[in-house]
Amino acid sequence: MMTTMKHAAYSLFTLTVAAFVLHALMALVVGAQFLAANSLLASILPYPNGAGMVAAWWRGALISGILGGGLILAADAAPQAVDSRRWRRGFLIWRALVVAVPLCWLLDIPLIAGLEATMGGVVLAAGAALWRVWGAASASFEGTLRLVWTAGAACIGSGLILHACAPLLTSSFARQTALSALADALSGQIGLSLTAVALAFWQLHRISNLTPAWAARGAAVCAGVLVVAGAWLALPALYPLGAADGVRMLGGLGVGIAPIAAIMVAAHAHRALVDRNASATLAGYWIALGVVLWLLGVGVVGAFGTLPALAVWTAGTPLAALSASWSSAGAAAIILGMINQAMAEARGQNRRITGLLPFWLIAAGWLGSGAAMGMAGVVQVMTERALGVAYLDAQRLIAPLGCLGLIGGLMTVLGIGVYALGFVVRRVVLPNAVGKG
Amino acid sequence: MRRAQVFFGICLSIALLLGIGALLTIPDATNLSVGASSTSLAVDSRVANDDSPNTVDGFAVWQSNACAGCHTLLGAGGGYASDLTRIVARHGADELRAVLRHELAAPSLIAATNARIMPRLGLTRGEIEALIAFLSSVSASAPLFPPQPLIETAIQTGLVAADPFDAVSTPVERGRRSFGSAPANCASCHSLEPDSIIVGPSLAGVAVRALTRVPGQSATTYLRNSILYPSDYLVPGYADAMAKNLGGMLTTDQIDDVIAFLLTLG
């Protein structure tokens, strides 16, 4: 049965897949900067604008997936709730924003901050609307997922608005930079992780024999430790800005907190994945990938990055950005799993929607390009920071690793391309489905 | 299950309080710029004192000209041109002013093999001063970024011998070596003996002459310009025969070393 809420979710998933494809293609184009410094590409597409587009499409894909997943969770928990075509129309604004923001980056139109604040507003409104539809708070499985998902959506929305409004709140460079870093952590490390945990536990419950009570407790506990770890991972961005000694000392505790959070999530996922039921889809693979990326991004790179003695060397290098990159990729993997699971259920055929080929290609692409990014960070620290090589000379030394990252980018493009193909070929036939709910 | 939800709520509260608390400890860069010269950061006292233009205006100039599209501050930004966090402390306000007025090419641009070109921004005098004040304040607000290179620390603390491979330690000594060896080979055309002409003019006493060659230019600026743009100012009576690609052959540090050496030829 395809309710209109699920129909709206399906539209958002379509947008998610399209944005992932565009992001992967654009990331490959921007990554080509390492091939030739004076390429024709550089004159056609200024790289800073291209990098902005890449980030905008990534954000658009992630949030579209989160919103679509939230609708599925709400429709599943409260099938009797208000279910009208307004859902579909309501997300027209969102779709327009996902298209408009990258275009503004490309054309250098100074509307980006305003549009991104609007994006945050839409996410907040969606969270509030789903909170209402979902019903009263309860100590149930659905109630716990609702709590975690809406808290995550609120963090994403607030983070986006805060980031866009930072220049209005303070004219000081240091405070503006600190505010933007914390806003990014609020929307990325915290909000994205929370919503992804809610989607992950919904999938784990669907594909395993776990009881709802166990899954609900697991979701709340994992969300709690991840949110604390996310806050700790945001602190290193403040170290170079003259953060107080107390903050630096407190931040150092992250080296213990972040791995505990990542291991707790991994342990819960493992418990579910070893006890899969007969109707399990490929969602389990994607959750496993998400957990591995969180283990690496939060539990290893992020944890060591919180040490003030280490962070002072890695600040502003690709190594410092790797934690956020891998943990957002972990959330993306969970969203791709959610699409797989939700589409299999919508079709009424519990079969592979997108196959294993895209899974392995995307996993290799994300892990490979992340590893290249990490190595580039190490080279920059060793040359520029330790030996005192000039900044641009160090960048030249990093360039071959950038080319290595391009191979990862190419695998991601192929993987997401095959995923999109599977998504289109095994699509839900909407004209027959709409209105039957 | 309810207890798990309460645990989640407590964790969320801790995270938000931690973020807000940490933000409140960040000092205001606008205030830091005042009196920055009294710190040990070697910030130019002429641009970071009470009379300096407001750093807020400089930040506005930075943003309106999309400087972060190419440059980085604290490592964040485009990454297509130099990190400017410590630019004022390292190169001084005079040199930065000359670059922004297009009187001097940015050394890092010349040294890089890839010819990324700094656009002509057409900044007014006031905007340039505001931008320099802003960059001074950034330098002051990030005293630990980037850390001093390990090798320099090791040399200063005596843990390792300075440049153990060829026993060259100070910039002047390194510059003397670059002056007489490849790839620059300056000594093959310029003598260091007074009135001794090989191809180009003798550089004996050049530190004194450089001060007055071009009105308004410091000796350092004149020497750097002469290395990077030898045709810009020709000593009367000499042909325009000097190599034009020294900026591509030498690194920024090597050029700085050669200048340090030439400034000893008083």
Side-chain angles (χ1 to χ4, degrees):
Chain A
M1 184 185 291
M2 187 81 165
T3 64
T4 47
M5 266 170 82
K6 286 187 176 176
H7 182 193
Y10 180 71
S11 302
L12 283 166
F13 286 152
T14 310
L15 183 65
T16 304
V17 174
F20 271 136
V21 171
L22 288 169
H23 162 265
L25 283 170
M26 198 64 204
L28 201 63
V29 171
V30 170
Q33 65 170 293
F34 294 106
L35 295 178
N38 296 316
S39 65
L40 179 65
L41 212 57
S43 56
I44 297 171
L45 180 77
Y47 285 128
N49 294 19
M53 278 180 83
V54 170
W57 263 320
W58 181 248
R59 215 163 32 242
L62 289 174
I63 300 175
S64 302
I66 291 295
L67 291 176
L71 277 174
I72 294 286
L73 263 60
D76 189 48
Q80 77 288 357
V82 181
D83 187 18
S84 77
R85 288 170 191 277
R86 272 183 298 180
W87 283 112
R88 206 157 34 135
R89 286 198 293 271
F91 284 106
L92 271 177
I93 300 169
W94 176 256
R95 282 201 287 270
L97 286 169
V98 171
V99 174
V101 171
L103 281 178
C104 281
W105 274 108
L106 177 67
L107 303 172
D108 225 355
I109 300 172
L111 283 174
I112 300 160
L115 288 180
E116 293 200 341
T118 314
M119 281 178 117
V122 171
V123 178
L124 276 179
L130 284 178
W131 178 269
R132 196 170 160 214
V133 168
W134 232 316
S138 63
S140 62
F141 174 61
E142 290 80 12
T144 307
L145 291 191
R146 165 182 183 255
L147 182 69
V148 173
W149 188 91
T150 44
C155 289
I156 293 175
S158 315
L160 286 173
I161 293 172
L162 197 60
H163 184 102
C165 296
L168 302 176
L169 299 174
T170 174
S171 54
S172 153
F173 165 76
R175 286 188 182 229
Q176 210 177 105
T177 306
L179 203 56
S180 299
L182 289 178
D184 289 345
L186 187 62
S187 60
Q189 297 276 27
I190 295 176
L192 207 54
S193 299
L194 286 183
T195 45
V197 160
L199 301 188
F201 274 85
W202 181 81
Q203 293 172 69
L204 289 174
H205 174 56
R206 300 296 255 214
I207 64 169
S208 71
N209 296 314
L210 298 177
T211 62
W214 188 91
R217 268 197 305 274
V221 170
C222 287
V225 290
L226 269 181
V227 79
V228 172
W232 247 271
L233 295 186
L235 295 182
L238 309 182
Y239 296 168
L241 293 164
D245 287 344
V247 172
R248 301 161 67 83
M249 282 171 63
L250 200 63
L253 297 176
V255 77
I257 293 169
I260 290 172
I263 290 168
M264 281 182 78
V265 175
H268 278 82
H270 177 261
R271 169 78 180 79
L273 291 174
V274 295
D275 188 16
R276 273 180 283 183
N277 58 32
S279 58
T281 63
L282 293 184
Y285 283 80
W286 291 103
I287 291 175
L289 174 61
V291 167
V292 168
L293 287 164
W294 275 348
L295 271 172
L296 292 170
V298 176
V300 180
V301 182
F304 282 107
T306 59
L307 286 173
L310 207 61
V312 76
W313 292 95
T314 59
T317 68
L319 204 52
L322 184 57
S323 169
S325 174
W326 260 340
S327 46
S328 69
I334 288 165
I335 289 167
L336 291 175
M338 184 76 192
I339 294 173
N340 219 313
Q341 178 71 24
M343 289 308 97
E345 291 185 15
R347 279 168 59 83
Q349 299 169 16
N350 198 11
R351 54 181 291 187
R352 292 178 177 194
I353 295 296
T354 54
L356 272 178
L357 179 64
F359 169 78
W360 289 115
L361 282 170
I362 290 174
W366 283 346
L367 288 169
S369 51
M373 194 173 163
M375 283 190 282
V378 171
V379 172
Q380 186 177 350
V381 169
M382 293 304 294
T383 53
E384 187 201 348
R385 306 285 165 84
L387 297 175
V389 173
Y391 178 82
L392 285 181
D393 292 334
Q395 294 293 320
R396 275 214 313 279
L397 292 171
I398 291 169
L401 289 165
C403 296
L404 205 63
L406 271 184
I407 299 171
L410 192 62
M411 292 177 86
T412 309
V413 168
L414 289 173
I416 198 68
V418 178
Y419 186 99
L421 200 65
F423 181 80
V424 172
V425 168
R426 299 187 182 91
R427 65 187 172 277
V428 179
V429 185
L430 290 173
N432 296 331
V434 174
K436 287 185 179 176
Chain B
M1 204 179 295
R2 182 68 78 183
R3 273 186 299 181
Q5 290 183 354
V6 171
F7 170 76
F8 168 66
I10 292 170
C11 289
L12 195 58
S13 309
I14 290 171
L16 293 176
L17 285 174
L18 183 69
I20 294 167
L23 184 66
L24 293 177
T25 69
I26 301 297
D28 192 329
T30 312
N31 298 331
L32 270 173
S33 69
V34 178
S37 57
S38 64
T39 69
S40 58
L41 298 169
V43 173
D44 193 311
S45 60
R46 285 165 293 173
V47 295
N49 58 25
D50 290 332
D51 300 322
S52 67
N54 197 331
T55 55
V56 175
D57 293 341
F59 189 24
V61 173
W62 172 268
Q63 289 177 310
S64 61
N65 287 281
C67 304
C70 293
H71 290 285
T72 55
L73 283 178
L74 298 163
Y80 303 98
S82 305
D83 186 277
L84 300 185
T85 309
R86 313 278 292 152
I87 187 79
V88 181
R90 280 186 178 157
H91 290 273
D94 279 345
E95 192 174 320
L96 185 57
R97 198 174 283 116
V99 169
L100 289 169
R101 288 178 185 168
H102 310 293
E103 295 165 1
L104 180 66
S108 56
L109 288 178
I110 300 300
T113 53
N114 43 14
R116 290 167 185 161
I117 297 166
M118 169 96 175
R120 285 185 170 268
L121 299 174
L123 299 177
T124 64
R125 195 173 290 268
E127 286 173 332
I128 289 172
E129 294 308 318
L131 191 56
I132 291 172
F134 163 65
L135 290 171
S136 300
S137 79
V138 171
S139 196
S141 65
L144 299 176
F145 183 90
Q148 187 180 28
L150 281 179
I151 193 77
E152 284 180 20
T153 310
I155 290 169
Q156 280 174 9
T157 53
L159 279 176
V160 295
D163 207 344
F165 299 107
D166 58 5
V168 172
S169 55
T170 65
V172 173
E173 286 174 27
R174 287 197 300 271
R176 186 195 306 278
R177 186 181 166 87
S178 291
F179 186 87
S181 60
N185 287 319
C186 315
S188 59
C189 295
H190 295 283
S191 166
L192 296 179
E193 297 297 321
D195 303 318
S196 169
I197 298 166
I198 306 172
V199 177
S202 162
L203 295 184
V206 71
V208 177
R209 293 198 300 276
L211 277 170
T212 54
R213 276 285 190 213
V214 179
Q217 264 189 11
S218 66
T220 304
T221 305
Y222 170 77
L223 290 173
R224 187 182 301 282
N225 218 22
S226 298
I227 294 170
L228 299 174
Y229 297 110
S231 307
D232 278 6
Y233 180 83
L234 292 175
V235 177
Y238 290 90
D240 185 10
M242 187 163 152
K244 307 292 187 298
N245 59 343
L246 285 172
M249 291 158 62
L250 300 173
T251 66
T252 311
D253 289 341
Q254 283 173 321
I255 292 172
D256 287 344
D257 292 343
V258 170
I259 293 169
F261 167 63
L262 294 176
L263 289 174
T264 63
L265 305 175

